[in-house]
Amino acid sequence: MRQAHPVEQAVGMEYYVSDSDGVGGRLRREPAAFGVREVEAFQVEPIDAKQGAYPHVVFRATLAGWDTNDFAGVLSDHLGISRERVSWAGTKDKYAKTTQLFSVAKVDPADLETIDLSDVEIEVLGRSGRPILFGDLAGNAFEIEISEPDAPGNLDGVLDELAAFAGSASGGGEDDGSTRIGVPNYFGQQRFGSQRPVTHEVGLAIARGDWTDAVLAYVGNPHEREREDTREARKYVTETEDWEGALDRLPKRLGYERSMCHRLVENGADDPEDFQEALEAVPTNLQQLFVNAAQSYAFNRILSARLERGLPFDEPVAGDVVCFADSGAPDGLELPDTGRTQRVTEDNVGTVRRHCERGRAFVTAPLLGTDSERPDGEPGEIERAVFEDLGISPADFDLPGEFDSEGTRRAILLRTDLSVERDPLTLSFALPKGSYATVVLREITKADPADL
């Protein structure tokens, strides 16, 4: 197998599954060159529905060059409301043109229609009885241009290898000229921080109960890809743990880091509980992201170890746990339902393999949490080795507030029907919610993650 880029290895992505050289090039020449549109799965009532029963206004926003969290903050400021009243189904890349759903609690729809922000289009759709929650979508459809490819002729060879990795499951888009491909369903670099991949380090420290290390991992911990003033400020934090002095040095753009420092100045930073309180000063979705990133890192490590052992991704072995396909998935989108699982044994492995061959079931691995079960067989050996190396166990995720996590499972193979336009080189495909376009693109380009 081909070794991955060192930056990818740092977040558990150890390998490519295609040995061929990639096409090279770079992405995001401009936001419009990286198009993302949610495959929506949220019920909306008419805008004239009773506000008391349906207090959440739902709108579709098209954003070019906006971070989702930043947009939510600016929107709430314009509306004069708490940011916590703004919700969305999935966080998108900043350097993209994205179309996605949001909901806002207890606002006048007319106020939304008057919002005038650069590179933002808002379309009010209706009302809902509850906010849009993270995961309230079926998936995302992508149209991505690869700019200045070094070797576009390598594309067909890579796609042949990825088609072989996809396995023999029924489906595929040969009739429409697309190619069914498969890649490991890694969590992409964005999960951990595109420029400074540290969120998993924060989450692992939280799971181990080391709140001080968690804050230092986020506020300190300089990275070579950051600006010099940011690196110097983080270095000062790491060396001194002087939180008041840190506020004099941390750039204003590092709002979350500064929020933590403000809280530590206020509470004295004497006890572990003070550092927990500092972590709780950031938005709740970021608190959850820290723990999710730790789970994601462990998941990536499990997938890399499975590749090392030569275990299949498209079919199970004894000890695996599979989940079944979501019967309500949109056409052309493989959507695993991780709420319906089955453990694979020597007795039923043949039957379950047939389900996988027909696209009715998918092999999974755990996102560790309090409800995670003890694994069996060779897959279990892999999981136990990774968790022991990281010093974490299911009980460690019994955490206060937003940090608590029951855990879940995730399919280990990501399949999609990929269409290609050659000039300019543009790839179109759809992925289920929670999966990353960059884990497809990394195989095709073999580029530095900074160019993805």
Side-chain angles (χ1 to χ4, degrees), residues 209-272:
D210 195 333
W211 300 97
T212 303
D213 273 4
V215 170
L216 287 169
Y218 191 69
V219 182
N221 200 8
H223 194 278
E224 61 183 7
R225 295 194 180 213
E226 294 184 294
R227 298 181 188 181
E228 183 177 358
D229 60 340
T230 299
R231 293 198 307 271
E232 287 300 318
R234 294 194 193 281
K235 181 181 177 183
Y236 178 83
V237 169
T238 300
E239 292 176 348
T240 69
E241 297 185 32
D242 172 11
W243 308 109
E244 191 164 2
L247 286 170
D248 294 333
R249 293 165 173 80
L250 285 168
K252 301 293 186 188
R253 63 180 176 274
L254 302 182
Y256 298 143
E257 288 90 336
R258 292 180 62 84
S259 293
M260 291 186 188
C261 291
H262 274 296
R263 189 61 55 86
L264 289 168
V265 170
E266 292 170 359
N267 65 27
D270 294 322
D271 302 310

Short mmCIF file of all heavy atoms in Angstrom, two decimals, residues 209-272:
data_model
loop_
_atom_site.label_atom_id
_atom_site.label_comp_id
_atom_site.label_asym_id
_atom_site.label_seq_id
_atom_site.Cartn_x
_atom_site.Cartn_y
_atom_site.Cartn_z
N GLY A 209 -9.76 12.95 31.22
CA GLY A 209 -10.01 13.74 32.41
C GLY A 209 -8.96 14.79 32.70
O GLY A 209 -8.91 15.34 33.80
N ASP A 210 -8.13 15.10 31.71
CA ASP A 210 -7.06 16.09 31.91
C ASP A 210 -7.50 17.40 31.27
O ASP A 210 -7.15 17.71 30.12
CB ASP A 210 -5.75 15.60 31.31
CG ASP A 210 -4.55 16.40 31.79
OD1 ASP A 210 -4.74 17.59 32.14
OD2 ASP A 210 -3.45 15.85 31.84
N TRP A 211 -8.26 18.19 32.01
CA TRP A 211 -8.83 19.42 31.48
C TRP A 211 -7.77 20.47 31.19
O TRP A 211 -7.89 21.24 30.23
CB TRP A 211 -9.86 19.98 32.46
CG TRP A 211 -10.98 19.02 32.71
CD1 TRP A 211 -11.11 18.15 33.75
CD2 TRP A 211 -12.13 18.80 31.88
NE1 TRP A 211 -12.27 17.42 33.62
CE2 TRP A 211 -12.92 17.80 32.49
CE3 TRP A 211 -12.58 19.37 30.69
CZ2 TRP A 211 -14.12 17.36 31.94
CZ3 TRP A 211 -13.78 18.95 30.13
CH2 TRP A 211 -14.53 17.94 30.76
N THR A 212 -6.70 20.50 31.99
CA THR A 212 -5.63 21.47 31.76
C THR A 212 -4.95 21.20 30.43
O THR A 212 -4.72 22.11 29.63
CB THR A 212 -4.61 21.43 32.91
OG1 THR A 212 -5.28 21.68 34.14
CG2 THR A 212 -3.51 22.46 32.69
N ASP A 213 -4.59 19.94 30.18
CA ASP A 213 -3.95 19.59 28.92
C ASP A 213 -4.87 19.87 27.74
O ASP A 213 -4.40 20.23 26.65
CB ASP A 213 -3.55 18.11 28.92
CG ASP A 213 -2.17 17.89 29.53
OD1 ASP A 213 -1.58 18.87 30.01
OD2 ASP A 213 -1.71 16.73 29.55
N ALA A 214 -6.18 19.71 27.94
CA ALA A 214 -7.12 19.97 26.86
C ALA A 214 -7.08 21.44 26.45
O ALA A 214 -7.05 21.78 25.27
CB ALA A 214 -8.53 19.58 27.29
N VAL A 215 -7.06 22.35 27.45
CA VAL A 215 -6.98 23.77 27.14
C VAL A 215 -5.65 24.11 26.48
O VAL A 215 -5.60 24.85 25.48
CB VAL A 215 -7.18 24.61 28.42
CG1 VAL A 215 -6.86 26.08 28.16
CG2 VAL A 215 -8.60 24.48 28.92
N LEU A 216 -4.57 23.57 27.01
CA LEU A 216 -3.25 23.85 26.43
C LEU A 216 -3.15 23.32 25.00
O LEU A 216 -2.50 23.94 24.15
CB LEU A 216 -2.16 23.25 27.31
CG LEU A 216 -1.90 23.96 28.64
CD1 LEU A 216 -0.99 23.13 29.53
CD2 LEU A 216 -1.30 25.34 28.38
N ALA A 217 -3.77 22.18 24.73
CA ALA A 217 -3.74 21.63 23.37
C ALA A 217 -4.44 22.54 22.38
O ALA A 217 -4.05 22.62 21.21
CB ALA A 217 -4.38 20.24 23.35
N TYR A 218 -5.45 23.28 22.87
CA TYR A 218 -6.21 24.14 21.96
C TYR A 218 -5.65 25.55 21.90
O TYR A 218 -5.49 26.12 20.82
CB TYR A 218 -7.67 24.20 22.39
CG TYR A 218 -8.56 24.85 21.35
CD1 TYR A 218 -8.81 24.21 20.13
CD2 TYR A 218 -9.13 26.10 21.55
CE1 TYR A 218 -9.60 24.80 19.16
CE2 TYR A 218 -9.92 26.70 20.59
CZ TYR A 218 -10.16 26.05 19.39
OH TYR A 218 -10.94 26.63 18.43
N VAL A 219 -5.32 26.13 23.05
CA VAL A 219 -4.88 27.53 23.08
C VAL A 219 -3.38 27.62 22.78
O VAL A 219 -2.93 28.53 22.08
CB VAL A 219 -5.20 28.18 24.43
CG1 VAL A 219 -4.78 29.65 24.43
CG2 VAL A 219 -6.70 28.07 24.72
N GLY A 220 -2.59 26.70 23.34
CA GLY A 220 -1.16 26.66 23.05
C GLY A 220 -0.91 25.81 21.80
O GLY A 220 -1.62 25.91 20.82
N ASN A 221 0.15 25.01 21.85
CA ASN A 221 0.34 24.01 20.80
C ASN A 221 0.48 24.63 19.41
O ASN A 221 -0.33 24.39 18.51
CB ASN A 221 -0.85 23.04 20.83
CG ASN A 221 -0.57 21.72 20.17
OD1 ASN A 221 0.56 21.42 19.78
ND2 ASN A 221 -1.61 20.92 20.01
N PRO A 222 1.52 25.45 19.18
CA PRO A 222 1.68 26.13 17.88
C PRO A 222 1.93 25.14 16.76
O PRO A 222 2.47 24.05 16.97
CB PRO A 222 2.89 27.04 18.09
CG PRO A 222 3.65 26.41 19.22
CD PRO A 222 2.62 25.78 20.11
N HIS A 223 1.54 25.53 15.54
CA HIS A 223 1.72 24.67 14.37
C HIS A 223 2.43 25.46 13.27
O HIS A 223 2.17 26.65 13.07
CB HIS A 223 0.37 24.16 13.86
CG HIS A 223 0.48 23.04 12.88
ND1 HIS A 223 0.74 23.25 11.54
CD2 HIS A 223 0.39 21.70 13.03
CE1 HIS A 223 0.78 22.08 10.91
NE2 HIS A 223 0.58 21.13 11.80
N GLU A 224 3.30 24.78 12.55
CA GLU A 224 4.15 25.45 11.55
C GLU A 224 3.34 26.10 10.42
O GLU A 224 3.84 27.01 9.75
CB GLU A 224 5.14 24.45 10.96
CG GLU A 224 4.49 23.28 10.24
CD GLU A 224 5.48 22.26 9.73
OE1 GLU A 224 6.67 22.39 10.05
OE2 GLU A 224 5.06 21.34 9.01
N ARG A 225 2.11 25.65 10.19
CA ARG A 225 1.32 26.21 9.09
C ARG A 225 0.57 27.48 9.48
O ARG A 225 -0.10 28.08 8.64
CB ARG A 225 0.32 25.16 8.58
CG ARG A 225 1.02 23.95 7.96
CD ARG A 225 0.06 23.10 7.17
NE ARG A 225 0.75 21.95 6.58
CZ ARG A 225 0.44 21.39 5.42
NH1 ARG A 225 -0.56 21.87 4.72
NH2 ARG A 225 1.11 20.36 4.97
N GLU A 226 0.68 27.89 10.72
CA GLU A 226 -0.01 29.09 11.17
C GLU A 226 0.84 30.33 10.93
O GLU A 226 2.05 30.25 10.69
CB GLU A 226 -0.33 28.99 12.67
CG GLU A 226 -1.33 27.90 13.00
CD GLU A 226 -1.68 27.91 14.48
OE1 GLU A 226 -0.79 27.61 15.29
OE2 GLU A 226 -2.84 28.22 14.81
N ARG A 227 0.18 31.50 11.03
CA ARG A 227 0.90 32.76 10.93
C ARG A 227 1.89 32.91 12.08
O ARG A 227 1.70 32.34 13.15
CB ARG A 227 -0.09 33.93 10.97
CG ARG A 227 -1.10 33.95 9.83
CD ARG A 227 -2.00 35.16 9.97
NE ARG A 227 -3.11 35.14 9.03
CZ ARG A 227 -4.03 36.10 8.93
NH1 ARG A 227 -3.98 37.13 9.77
NH2 ARG A 227 -5.00 36.02 8.05
N GLU A 228 2.91 33.72 11.83
CA GLU A 228 3.97 33.86 12.83
C GLU A 228 3.44 34.44 14.14
O GLU A 228 3.81 33.98 15.23
CB GLU A 228 5.09 34.75 12.28
CG GLU A 228 6.27 34.88 13.24
CD GLU A 228 7.41 35.70 12.67
OE1 GLU A 228 7.30 36.14 11.51
OE2 GLU A 228 8.40 35.92 13.40
N ASP A 229 2.55 35.46 14.06
CA ASP A 229 2.06 36.05 15.30
C ASP A 229 1.24 35.05 16.11
O ASP A 229 1.29 35.02 17.34
CB ASP A 229 1.23 37.31 15.02
CG ASP A 229 0.01 37.06 14.15
OD1 ASP A 229 -0.03 36.03 13.45
OD2 ASP A 229 -0.90 37.91 14.18
N THR A 230 0.52 34.17 15.41
CA THR A 230 -0.25 33.13 16.10
C THR A 230 0.67 32.11 16.75
O THR A 230 0.47 31.72 17.91
CB THR A 230 -1.19 32.42 15.11
OG1 THR A 230 -2.10 33.38 14.56
CG2 THR A 230 -1.98 31.33 15.80
N ARG A 231 1.72 31.71 16.02
CA ARG A 231 2.67 30.73 16.57
C ARG A 231 3.35 31.29 17.82
O ARG A 231 3.51 30.58 18.82
CB ARG A 231 3.72 30.34 15.53
CG ARG A 231 3.18 29.58 14.34
CD ARG A 231 4.32 28.85 13.61
NE ARG A 231 5.42 29.74 13.25
CZ ARG A 231 5.49 30.43 12.12
NH1 ARG A 231 4.51 30.37 11.24
NH2 ARG A 231 6.54 31.21 11.86
N GLU A 232 3.74 32.55 17.77
CA GLU A 232 4.42 33.16 18.91
C GLU A 232 3.49 33.23 20.12
O GLU A 232 3.90 32.97 21.26
CB GLU A 232 4.92 34.56 18.53
CG GLU A 232 6.11 34.55 17.59
CD GLU A 232 7.31 33.84 18.18
OE1 GLU A 232 7.59 34.02 19.38
OE2 GLU A 232 7.96 33.07 17.44
N ALA A 233 2.22 33.57 19.89
CA ALA A 233 1.27 33.66 21.00
C ALA A 233 1.03 32.28 21.61
O ALA A 233 1.00 32.13 22.84
CB ALA A 233 -0.04 34.26 20.50
N ARG A 234 0.88 31.29 20.78
CA ARG A 234 0.65 29.93 21.29
C ARG A 234 1.89 29.41 22.04
O ARG A 234 1.77 28.73 23.06
CB ARG A 234 0.29 28.98 20.15
CG ARG A 234 -1.04 29.29 19.48
CD ARG A 234 -1.47 28.11 18.62
NE ARG A 234 -2.57 28.42 17.73
CZ ARG A 234 -3.86 28.48 18.08
NH1 ARG A 234 -4.19 28.28 19.34
NH2 ARG A 234 -4.78 28.76 17.19
N LYS A 235 3.06 29.73 21.51
CA LYS A 235 4.29 29.32 22.19
C LYS A 235 4.36 29.94 23.58
O LYS A 235 4.74 29.28 24.56
CB LYS A 235 5.50 29.75 21.36
CG LYS A 235 6.84 29.36 21.98
CD LYS A 235 8.01 29.84 21.10
CE LYS A 235 9.34 29.51 21.75
NZ LYS A 235 10.48 30.04 20.96
N TYR A 236 3.97 31.20 23.70
CA TYR A 236 3.96 31.88 25.00
C TYR A 236 3.01 31.17 25.96
O TYR A 236 3.35 30.96 27.14
CB TYR A 236 3.54 33.34 24.82
CG TYR A 236 3.45 34.12 26.11
CD1 TYR A 236 4.58 34.68 26.68
CD2 TYR A 236 2.23 34.26 26.78
CE1 TYR A 236 4.52 35.38 27.87
CE2 TYR A 236 2.15 34.96 27.98
CZ TYR A 236 3.29 35.51 28.52
OH TYR A 236 3.23 36.19 29.71
N VAL A 237 1.85 30.80 25.49
CA VAL A 237 0.89 30.09 26.34
C VAL A 237 1.48 28.77 26.82
O VAL A 237 1.40 28.44 28.02
CB VAL A 237 -0.42 29.85 25.57
CG1 VAL A 237 -1.32 28.88 26.33
CG2 VAL A 237 -1.14 31.16 25.31
N THR A 238 2.06 28.00 25.90
CA THR A 238 2.62 26.70 26.27
C THR A 238 3.71 26.83 27.31
O THR A 238 3.80 26.03 28.25
CB THR A 238 3.17 26.00 24.99
OG1 THR A 238 2.10 25.82 24.06
CG2 THR A 238 3.77 24.66 25.34
N GLU A 239 4.54 27.86 27.17
CA GLU A 239 5.70 28.00 28.05
C GLU A 239 5.34 28.63 29.40
O GLU A 239 6.00 28.33 30.40
CB GLU A 239 6.77 28.86 27.36
CG GLU A 239 7.40 28.15 26.15
CD GLU A 239 8.39 29.05 25.41
OE1 GLU A 239 8.40 30.27 25.71
OE2 GLU A 239 9.13 28.53 24.56
N THR A 240 4.31 29.47 29.44
CA THR A 240 4.07 30.25 30.66
C THR A 240 2.75 29.95 31.36
O THR A 240 2.64 30.18 32.57
CB THR A 240 4.09 31.76 30.34
OG1 THR A 240 2.94 32.08 29.53
CG2 THR A 240 5.36 32.15 29.60
N GLU A 241 1.76 29.51 30.63
CA GLU A 241 0.39 29.36 31.16
C GLU A 241 -0.07 30.66 31.83
O GLU A 241 -0.80 30.65 32.83
CB GLU A 241 0.28 28.17 32.11
CG GLU A 241 0.56 26.84 31.43
CD GLU A 241 0.33 25.64 32.31
OE1 GLU A 241 -0.57 25.70 33.18
OE2 GLU A 241 1.06 24.63 32.15
N ASP A 242 0.36 31.76 31.26
CA ASP A 242 -0.03 33.10 31.73
C ASP A 242 -1.24 33.53 30.89
O ASP A 242 -1.09 34.00 29.76
CB ASP A 242 1.14 34.07 31.55
CG ASP A 242 0.76 35.52 31.84
OD1 ASP A 242 -0.35 35.76 32.38
OD2 ASP A 242 1.56 36.41 31.48
N TRP A 243 -2.43 33.39 31.45
CA TRP A 243 -3.64 33.59 30.66
C TRP A 243 -3.92 35.06 30.40
O TRP A 243 -4.43 35.42 29.33
CB TRP A 243 -4.81 32.91 31.36
CG TRP A 243 -4.47 31.49 31.67
CD1 TRP A 243 -4.23 30.94 32.89
CD2 TRP A 243 -4.25 30.43 30.72
NE1 TRP A 243 -3.88 29.61 32.77
CE2 TRP A 243 -3.89 29.27 31.45
CE3 TRP A 243 -4.32 30.36 29.33
CZ2 TRP A 243 -3.61 28.06 30.84
CZ3 TRP A 243 -4.04 29.16 28.70
CH2 TRP A 243 -3.69 28.02 29.45
N GLU A 244 -3.56 35.92 31.35
CA GLU A 244 -3.75 37.35 31.12
C GLU A 244 -2.77 37.85 30.07
O GLU A 244 -3.12 38.62 29.17
CB GLU A 244 -3.59 38.12 32.43
CG GLU A 244 -4.03 39.56 32.33
CD GLU A 244 -4.25 40.20 33.69
OE1 GLU A 244 -4.01 39.53 34.72
OE2 GLU A 244 -4.67 41.37 33.72
N GLY A 245 -1.53 37.38 30.16
CA GLY A 245 -0.54 37.73 29.14
C GLY A 245 -0.91 37.18 27.78
O GLY A 245 -0.61 37.79 26.74
N ALA A 246 -1.55 36.01 27.78
CA ALA A 246 -1.99 35.43 26.50
C ALA A 246 -2.98 36.33 25.80
O ALA A 246 -2.95 36.47 24.56
CB ALA A 246 -2.60 34.05 26.75
N LEU A 247 -3.86 36.97 26.57
CA LEU A 247 -4.86 37.87 25.96
C LEU A 247 -4.20 39.06 25.29
O LEU A 247 -4.73 39.61 24.31
CB LEU A 247 -5.85 38.35 27.02
CG LEU A 247 -6.88 37.31 27.47
CD1 LEU A 247 -7.65 37.81 28.69
CD2 LEU A 247 -7.83 36.97 26.33
N ASP A 248 -3.03 39.48 25.77
CA ASP A 248 -2.31 40.57 25.14
C ASP A 248 -1.66 40.14 23.83
O ASP A 248 -1.36 40.98 22.98
CB ASP A 248 -1.21 41.10 26.07
CG ASP A 248 -1.79 41.76 27.33
OD1 ASP A 248 -2.93 42.27 27.25
OD2 ASP A 248 -1.10 41.73 28.37
N ARG A 249 -1.45 38.84 23.66
CA ARG A 249 -0.70 38.33 22.52
C ARG A 249 -1.55 37.62 21.46
O ARG A 249 -1.22 37.64 20.28
CB ARG A 249 0.40 37.38 23.01
CG ARG A 249 1.48 38.07 23.82
CD ARG A 249 2.34 37.09 24.60
NE ARG A 249 3.48 37.74 25.24
CZ ARG A 249 3.40 38.43 26.38
NH1 ARG A 249 2.22 38.55 27.00
NH2 ARG A 249 4.47 39.01 26.89
N LEU A 250 -2.63 36.96 21.90
CA LEU A 250 -3.44 36.20 20.95
C LEU A 250 -4.16 37.16 20.00
O LEU A 250 -4.85 38.08 20.44
CB LEU A 250 -4.47 35.34 21.69
CG LEU A 250 -3.94 34.09 22.39
CD1 LEU A 250 -5.00 33.52 23.32
CD2 LEU A 250 -3.50 33.04 21.36
N PRO A 251 -4.05 36.95 18.69
CA PRO A 251 -4.75 37.82 17.74
C PRO A 251 -6.26 37.79 17.96
O PRO A 251 -6.81 36.78 18.41
CB PRO A 251 -4.37 37.21 16.38
CG PRO A 251 -3.10 36.46 16.62
CD PRO A 251 -3.21 35.94 18.03
N LYS A 252 -6.91 38.90 17.65
CA LYS A 252 -8.35 39.01 17.85
C LYS A 252 -9.12 37.94 17.07
O LYS A 252 -10.22 37.54 17.48
CB LYS A 252 -8.84 40.40 17.41
CG LYS A 252 -8.21 41.56 18.14
CD LYS A 252 -8.59 41.61 19.60
CE LYS A 252 -8.04 42.88 20.26
NZ LYS A 252 -8.23 42.88 21.72
N ARG A 253 -8.55 37.48 15.96
CA ARG A 253 -9.26 36.50 15.13
C ARG A 253 -9.41 35.15 15.83
O ARG A 253 -10.23 34.33 15.42
CB ARG A 253 -8.55 36.32 13.79
CG ARG A 253 -7.15 35.77 13.88
CD ARG A 253 -6.47 35.62 12.52
NE ARG A 253 -5.09 35.17 12.65
CZ ARG A 253 -4.06 35.98 12.84
NH1 ARG A 253 -4.24 37.29 12.92
NH2 ARG A 253 -2.82 35.50 12.96
N LEU A 254 -8.62 34.90 16.87
CA LEU A 254 -8.71 33.64 17.60
C LEU A 254 -9.71 33.79 18.74
O LEU A 254 -9.39 33.74 19.93
CB LEU A 254 -7.33 33.23 18.13
CG LEU A 254 -6.23 33.06 17.08
CD1 LEU A 254 -4.93 32.61 17.72
CD2 LEU A 254 -6.65 32.07 15.99
N GLY A 255 -10.97 33.96 18.34
CA GLY A 255 -12.01 34.28 19.32
C GLY A 255 -12.25 33.20 20.34
O GLY A 255 -12.46 33.50 21.53
N TYR A 256 -12.23 31.94 19.93
CA TYR A 256 -12.51 30.86 20.89
C TYR A 256 -11.37 30.72 21.89
O TYR A 256 -11.61 30.49 23.09
CB TYR A 256 -12.73 29.54 20.15
CG TYR A 256 -13.92 29.57 19.21
CD1 TYR A 256 -13.87 28.91 17.99
CD2 TYR A 256 -15.08 30.26 19.55
CE1 TYR A 256 -14.96 28.94 17.13
CE2 TYR A 256 -16.17 30.29 18.69
CZ TYR A 256 -16.10 29.63 17.47
OH TYR A 256 -17.17 29.66 16.62
N GLU A 257 -10.14 30.82 21.41
CA GLU A 257 -9.00 30.76 22.33
C GLU A 257 -9.07 31.90 23.34
O GLU A 257 -8.81 31.71 24.54
CB GLU A 257 -7.68 30.84 21.54
CG GLU A 257 -7.36 29.58 20.74
CD GLU A 257 -7.91 29.59 19.33
OE1 GLU A 257 -8.89 30.33 19.08
OE2 GLU A 257 -7.37 28.86 18.49
N ARG A 258 -9.42 33.08 22.86
CA ARG A 258 -9.49 34.23 23.76
C ARG A 258 -10.63 34.06 24.78
O ARG A 258 -10.49 34.45 25.94
CB ARG A 258 -9.69 35.51 22.94
CG ARG A 258 -8.47 35.87 22.09
CD ARG A 258 -8.70 37.15 21.29
NE ARG A 258 -8.93 38.29 22.17
CZ ARG A 258 -7.99 39.02 22.73
NH1 ARG A 258 -6.70 38.73 22.51
NH2 ARG A 258 -8.28 40.02 23.52
N SER A 259 -11.73 33.44 24.36
CA SER A 259 -12.83 33.18 25.30
C SER A 259 -12.36 32.28 26.44
O SER A 259 -12.69 32.50 27.61
CB SER A 259 -14.01 32.52 24.57
OG SER A 259 -14.59 33.41 23.65
N MET A 260 -11.57 31.26 26.12
CA MET A 260 -11.04 30.38 27.16
C MET A 260 -10.13 31.15 28.11
O MET A 260 -10.21 30.98 29.34
CB MET A 260 -10.28 29.21 26.52
CG MET A 260 -11.15 28.22 25.78
SD MET A 260 -10.16 26.80 25.21
CE MET A 260 -11.36 25.94 24.19
N CYS A 261 -9.27 31.99 27.53
CA CYS A 261 -8.34 32.75 28.38
C CYS A 261 -9.09 33.72 29.28
O CYS A 261 -8.74 33.87 30.47
CB CYS A 261 -7.33 33.49 27.51
SG CYS A 261 -6.16 32.40 26.65
N HIS A 262 -10.10 34.39 28.75
CA HIS A 262 -10.90 35.30 29.58
C HIS A 262 -11.49 34.56 30.78
O HIS A 262 -11.46 35.05 31.91
CB HIS A 262 -12.02 35.92 28.74
CG HIS A 262 -11.63 37.14 27.99
ND1 HIS A 262 -11.24 38.31 28.62
CD2 HIS A 262 -11.57 37.38 26.66
CE1 HIS A 262 -10.96 39.22 27.69
NE2 HIS A 262 -11.14 38.69 26.49
N ARG A 263 -12.02 33.36 30.52
CA ARG A 263 -12.63 32.60 31.60
C ARG A 263 -11.60 32.20 32.64
O ARG A 263 -11.87 32.22 33.85
CB ARG A 263 -13.34 31.37 31.03
CG ARG A 263 -14.20 30.61 32.02
CD ARG A 263 -15.33 31.47 32.58
NE ARG A 263 -16.18 32.05 31.55
CZ ARG A 263 -17.23 31.43 31.01
NH1 ARG A 263 -17.57 30.22 31.42
NH2 ARG A 263 -17.95 32.03 30.08
N LEU A 264 -10.40 31.84 32.21
CA LEU A 264 -9.35 31.44 33.15
C LEU A 264 -8.84 32.63 33.97
O LEU A 264 -8.48 32.48 35.13
CB LEU A 264 -8.20 30.78 32.40
CG LEU A 264 -8.53 29.39 31.84
CD1 LEU A 264 -7.45 28.92 30.87
CD2 LEU A 264 -8.70 28.37 32.98
N VAL A 265 -8.81 33.81 33.37
CA VAL A 265 -8.45 35.01 34.12
C VAL A 265 -9.51 35.28 35.19
O VAL A 265 -9.21 35.62 36.34
CB VAL A 265 -8.30 36.22 33.18
CG1 VAL A 265 -8.17 37.51 33.98
CG2 VAL A 265 -7.07 36.04 32.28
N GLU A 266 -10.78 35.09 34.82
CA GLU A 266 -11.88 35.35 35.75
C GLU A 266 -11.90 34.36 36.91
O GLU A 266 -12.14 34.74 38.06
CB GLU A 266 -13.22 35.29 35.00
CG GLU A 266 -13.42 36.42 34.00
CD GLU A 266 -14.63 36.19 33.12
OE1 GLU A 266 -15.29 35.13 33.26
OE2 GLU A 266 -14.91 37.05 32.27
N ASN A 267 -11.65 33.06 36.62
CA ASN A 267 -11.82 32.05 37.68
C ASN A 267 -10.53 31.71 38.40
O ASN A 267 -10.53 30.92 39.35
CB ASN A 267 -12.51 30.80 37.14
CG ASN A 267 -11.69 30.04 36.10
OD1 ASN A 267 -10.46 30.11 36.09
ND2 ASN A 267 -12.38 29.31 35.23
N GLY A 268 -9.42 32.24 37.94
CA GLY A 268 -8.16 32.04 38.65
C GLY A 268 -7.31 30.90 38.14
O GLY A 268 -6.12 30.80 38.47
N ALA A 269 -7.87 29.98 37.38
CA ALA A 269 -7.12 28.87 36.77
C ALA A 269 -6.34 28.07 37.82
O ALA A 269 -5.19 27.68 37.60
CB ALA A 269 -6.17 29.40 35.69
N ASP A 270 -6.99 27.81 38.95
CA ASP A 270 -6.31 27.10 40.04
C ASP A 270 -6.61 25.60 40.05
O ASP A 270 -5.77 24.81 40.50
CB ASP A 270 -6.73 27.69 41.39
CG ASP A 270 -6.26 29.12 41.56
OD1 ASP A 270 -5.13 29.43 41.12
OD2 ASP A 270 -7.02 29.94 42.12
N ASP A 271 -7.79 25.22 39.61
CA ASP A 271 -8.23 23.84 39.74
C ASP A 271 -8.62 23.26 38.38
O ASP A 271 -8.93 24.02 37.44
CB ASP A 271 -9.45 23.75 40.68
CG ASP A 271 -9.14 24.31 42.06
OD1 ASP A 271 -8.11 23.89 42.63
OD2 ASP A 271 -9.91 25.18 42.52
N PRO A 272 -8.65 21.92 38.24
CA PRO A 272 -9.11 21.32 36.98
C PRO A 272 -10.50 21.80 36.57
O PRO A 272 -10.77 21.98 35.37
CB PRO A 272 -9.11 19.82 37.30
CG PRO A 272 -8.08 19.67 38.37
CD PRO A 272 -8.16 20.91 39.19
#
